[in-house]
Amino acid sequence: MGDSEGHPRSSGSAHDAWATPERRALRDLVADFTTREVVPHLARWEDDGALPRALHARAGELGLLELGFPAAAGGVGEHLDACLVAEQLILSGGSSGVCAGLFTHGIGVPHVAAAGDPDQIARFVAPTLAGRMIASLGVTEPGAGSDVAAITTRARREGDEYVVDGAKTFITSGTRADIVTTAVRTGGDGHRGISLLVIETDRPGVSRSRLRKMGWHCSDTAELHFDGVRVPATNLVGAEGTGFRQIMVNFAAERLSMAVQAYATAQRCVDLTIDWARTRRTFGAPLAQRQVVRHQIAEMARVTTVARTYVRDVLARWQAGHDVVTELAMAKNTAVAACDAVVDRAVQLHGGMGYMHGVEVERHYRDARILGIGGGTTEIMDEVVAGRIGLDG
Ligand SMILES: Cc1cc2nc3c(=O)[nH]c(=O)nc-3n(C[C@H](O)[C@H](O)[C@H](O)COP(=O)(O)OP(=O)(O)OC[C@H]3O[C@@H](n4cnc5c(N)ncnc54)[C@H](O)[C@@H]3O)c2cc1C
């Protein structure tokens, strides 16, 4: 199995990439950042329902936000680096909720960076990667989630501006975001009528309300309303009608990130459960000496290791430019299934303590539930696989 930092002992080439000297140093940096600057405050941020803006500035200062972005947009490294940061943050006592709130830029501005407009990069990408600006992605609507092509938020062209009317929901970091990269309908029905438009949230006609939820409490979530919002046409990302394709391209990175968060959450719960089982005594002996408990934890470690190994393999092949659309969907579902099973077992093996607010496995149990819903649901992943293994006729 992997050690507690997620390094598999038997490493193939896909895994060696995670353990270069530079990446070991990055792992140490993230572990230190998490231990000192996240873990001591996390319970309060969970109660507050949001992360402080200062945390973004600090992450920007440490160079954590620019990882995986193209150099032309001020980025450095590969998507693997951003995934490694998320993995280590969770292994060091952070959470997928912190990843969602602190790294929303990973879904908020990659399209803007890839489109390559220097003015947009200067106005939106550079300040976001520096941690001075918070960026969100607004695709989901009250009437359209999985079916992205059905969105109805409309952007009508008037001279040098678009006028936007509609609503977005479940938007991560939406109550704090300075900008929202928004999927809007500029053309007719279907996916060809969709464009991406960056909307600054201080524009007249933008209103937002906070949504309360089961987990990810430190990651704020909002419903946004656009009522005749005037946005300069220079905020259009790429060409009109290319929004759907841009969204789909970036889903790959988002799905990999969520898969990494899933296996990292599972690994953290394995580690916490091993510690617990060694110290918790019942009927005169530690839980770790009961064969039924040992085997359950061995199984938790097995599914976690399988998930990590497969996700890293698919990530490596995706970065090398292979067509891994099918495997990406399988990887997300594999990691989510492992995580779901492990967080459930971790709570059970902690007994009543596992149900107590403020105990780490309880938070992971609640946080984990979103991983099979966000970034494409488990069922939509299965549809992707089904279509590509020959079930479409
Ligand atoms: C905490 C949180 C954060 C989020 N952050 C963001 C964000 O930052 N930006 C953003 O744009 N969105 C965000 N979302 C939205 C998320 O991407 C959607 O919730 C998700 O895509 C599912 O869409 P939906 O909720 O409309 O469910 P629906 O699409 O209505 O699906 C409902 C159920 O039906 C299933 N289903 C749907 N279609 C089919 C089908 N063809 N076959 C079989 N089953 C099907 C689904 O799998 C699901 O189980 C967030 C959601 C949450 C909860």
Side-chain angles (χ1 to χ4, degrees):
M1 62 171 272
D3 62 27
S4 63
E5 295 202 329
H7 303 127
R9 285 193 190 123
S10 58
S11 54
S13 59
H15 307 295
D16 292 339
W18 290 71
T20 62
E22 295 78 11
R23 286 181 172 140
R24 284 186 181 276
L26 177 62
R27 205 178 267 289
D28 290 345
L29 175 78
V30 175
D32 189 58
F33 166 69
T34 307
T35 309
R36 291 171 190 266
E37 303 185 52
V38 174
V39 173
H41 311 290
L42 185 48
R44 180 161 47 83
W45 297 337
E46 289 273 306
D47 289 343
D48 292 348
L51 298 174
R53 292 186 78 92
L55 193 69
H56 293 256
R58 181 66 180 137
E61 191 184 9
L62 292 173
L64 301 182
L65 303 182
E66 64 204 29
L67 297 170
F69 277 76
V76 65
E78 302 176 295
H79 189 54
L80 190 157
D81 296 290
C83 287
L84 184 147
V85 169
E87 182 192 285
Q88 189 60 50
L89 191 142
I90 293 170
L91 293 175
S92 299
S95 68
S96 60
V98 175
C99 293
L102 185 57
F103 305 138
T104 321
H105 70 292
I107 57 171
V109 288
H111 335 69
V112 188
D117 177 336
D119 170 62
Q120 290 183 355
I121 287 172
R123 285 192 295 142
F124 305 132
V125 182
T128 299
L129 301 191
R132 293 195 305 275
M133 188 177 258
I134 295 177
S136 282
L137 175 68
V139 176
T140 306
E141 300 185 350
S146 303
D147 187 4
V148 174
I151 63 148
T152 58
T153 293
R154 174 145 304 274
R156 198 177 67 250
R157 184 80 187 241
E158 277 189 13
D160 291 340
E161 294 179 321
Y162 287 98
V163 183
V164 183
D165 288 284
K168 296 288 171 183
T169 196
F170 309 147
I171 304 308
T172 298
S173 297
T175 72
R176 302 175 304 143
D178 303 295
I179 56 168
V180 182
T181 303
T182 310
V184 293
R185 189 162 296 286
T186 49
D189 290 346
H191 62 89
R192 288 199 182 81
I194 297 174
S195 301
L196 279 184
L197 193 63
V198 177
I199 303 180
E200 296 93 338
T201 52
D202 59 359
R203 292 194 177 276
V206 177
S207 58
R208 42 190 172 174
S209 52
R210 179 185 296 269
L211 301 172
R212 298 185 64 202
K213 52 196 188 302
M214 176 192 295
W216 275 13
H217 286 172
C218 66
S219 167
D220 61 298
T221 307
E223 178 148 321
L224 310 176
H225 287 266
F226 305 110
D227 185 11
V229 181
R230 293 191 165 271
V231 181
T234 51
N235 284 16
L236 183 73
V237 183
E240 263 197 16
T242 63
F244 186 84
R245 191 176 50 75
Q246 295 184 63
I247 292 164
M248 291 302 141
V249 166
N250 284 289
F251 263 150
E254 181 179 1
R255 286 169 187 169
L256 282 163
S257 298
M258 295 191 80
V260 168
Q261 290 176 40
Y263 80 63
T265 299
Q267 182 65 56
R268 177 67 178 173
C269 287
V270 170
D271 296 344
L272 291 167
T273 306
I274 290 171
D275 288 347
W276 167 262
R278 279 181 173 150
T279 54
R280 178 67 179 174
R281 296 175 71 87
T282 64
F283 304 99
L287 285 177
Q289 287 181 16
R290 312 281 175 199
Q291 191 179 50
V292 68
V293 173
R294 299 165 70 82
H295 288 193
Q296 285 182 30
I297 300 175
E299 176 65 5
M300 290 160 67
R302 182 189 69 78
V303 296
T304 302
T305 301
V306 169
R308 176 173 53 237
T309 305
Y310 185 52
V311 170
R312 287 184 177 186
D313 181 70
V314 174
L315 172 58
R317 284 189 281 146
W318 176 71
Q319 287 196 160
H322 298 287
D323 175 358
V324 287
V325 172
T326 315
E327 291 84 352
L328 252 159
M330 290 176 169
K332 181 168 185 281
N333 281 1
T334 299
V336 167
C339 186
D340 285 348
V342 168
V343 294
D344 183 72
R345 249 324 83 189
V347 168
Q348 189 68 20
L349 288 170
H350 277 72
M353 193 56 85
Y355 198 69
M356 290 299 109
H357 184 66
V359 171
E360 192 175 335
V361 292
E362 182 262 351
R363 174 162 44 73
H364 288 309
Y365 179 87
R366 287 183 290 102
D367 285 353
R369 193 61 188 87
I370 180 59
L371 298 174
I373 296 173
T377 65
T378 300
E379 293 76 15
I380 295 302
M381 296 302 96
D382 280 338
E383 261 311 297
V384 170
V385 174
R388 294 181 57 115
I389 60 173
L391 291 169
D392 276 351

